[in-house]
Amino acid sequence: MSIIKEITEALAILSIPEKAEFFPKFFKTGKGEYGEGDLFLGVTVPDQRSVAKAFFSKISLAELSELLSSKYHEHRLTALLILTYKFEKTKDGEVQKEIIEFYLNHLEHINNWDLVDSSCYKILGRYCFENQKEELLRDLSSSEIMWHKRIAVVGTMHYVKKGLFEPTKEFATQNMKHPHDLMHKANGWLLREIGQKNRQELIGYLNQNYKEMPRTCLRYAIEKLDEDLRQDYLKGRI
């Protein structure tokens, strides 16, 4: 039996029909949160993680390509979880570079928020931070494709965790006028993380930019601030 068949059968055994019916209704398939035409098995993320942990050392990148190109959401997310485990477990810089190239060459299959948020800052963000390859994120941030921009913004999470905020602020400002609400959520989420690390850093950014920020972005960014200050920003600092 091929490794791909083993993985798909392992996921099929864990599928829950009720969840397979619920996911596309709840997550608005085709409206940005999931790719048009995505299919669902109804496998929970913890179960996908268990499958990924069991198989990540056994599958090659070439074989993983087949899993990542599947129409089933759980197949693709499991493939990215496998890729993440491969990246985290290796200390070989050449292997890490190969994984990054694989990731960047398969961006067309990373087109909903679960896939982006579950993989990119752990793989791409960490690689760019540790190898001073920030231009990879900057190129994605300048792309015309919304998911590429979102990957770039979320990829800066690794920088935020290390206390470096400039890439996140740069990308959030660059894409502030993006028409898609998912970009606003991503920008606001990352700005909120800055506030968790350094409250004054966020307030300084907000004081400069809050009037230009889409409402969704602003609400996410100020979510963890004191209630009085939150209301102050929401009411236009009056």
Side-chain angles (χ1 to χ4, degrees), residues 13 18 36 44 66 85 97 104 128 196 218:
I13 291 170
E18 293 80 4
E36 188 72 55
T44 65
E66 181 181 341
Y85 289 133
K97 185 177 178 182
L104 293 174
C128 290
Q196 299 278 66
L218 180 61

Side-chain angles (χ1 to χ4, degrees), residues 16-136:
I16 303 169
E18 293 80 4
K19 290 189 179 297
E21 293 179 8
F22 171 76
F23 287 158
K25 295 175 184 176
F26 183 77
F27 292 111
K28 304 174 189 174
T29 301
K31 296 190 178 180
E33 296 179 7
Y34 282 91
E36 188 72 55
D38 270 10
L39 302 175
F40 295 85
L41 293 170
V43 183
T44 65
V45 173
D47 281 343
Q48 290 174 66
R49 290 189 188 281
S50 68
V51 171
K53 284 180 179 178
F55 287 97
F56 82 90
S57 61
K58 305 174 186 177
I59 188 171
S60 69
L61 291 182
E63 292 168 320
L64 201 58
S65 180
E66 181 181 341
L67 195 63
L68 190 55
S69 63
S70 171
K71 274 291 186 182
Y72 281 99
H73 170 72
E74 291 90 343
H75 289 175
R76 287 152 61 211
L77 181 51
T78 301
L80 287 175
L81 291 170
I82 287 172
L83 198 64
T84 301
Y85 289 133
K86 280 182 173 293
F87 187 86
E88 291 178 333
K89 294 299 181 181
T90 184
K91 302 298 182 184
D92 189 323
E94 288 303 310
V95 174
Q96 287 190 340
K97 185 177 178 182
E98 186 181 359
I99 290 172
I100 290 299
E101 289 175 355
F102 177 90
Y103 187 90
L104 293 174
N105 287 333
H106 289 79
L107 291 180
E108 72 271 23
H109 303 306
I110 305 172
N111 62 353
N112 69 59
W113 67 353
D114 257 7
L115 298 180
V116 168
D117 295 352
S118 295
S119 64
C120 67
Y121 86 85
K122 290 183 178 178
I123 300 176
L124 192 59
R126 176 180 157 195
Y127 176 82
C128 290
F129 175 83
E130 292 179 352
N131 295 278
Q132 299 180 326
K133 298 286 187 181
E134 199 173 294
E135 69 272 13
L136 291 179

Side-chain angles (χ1 to χ4, degrees), residues 103 139 159:
Y103 187 90
D139 287 346
Y159 290 77

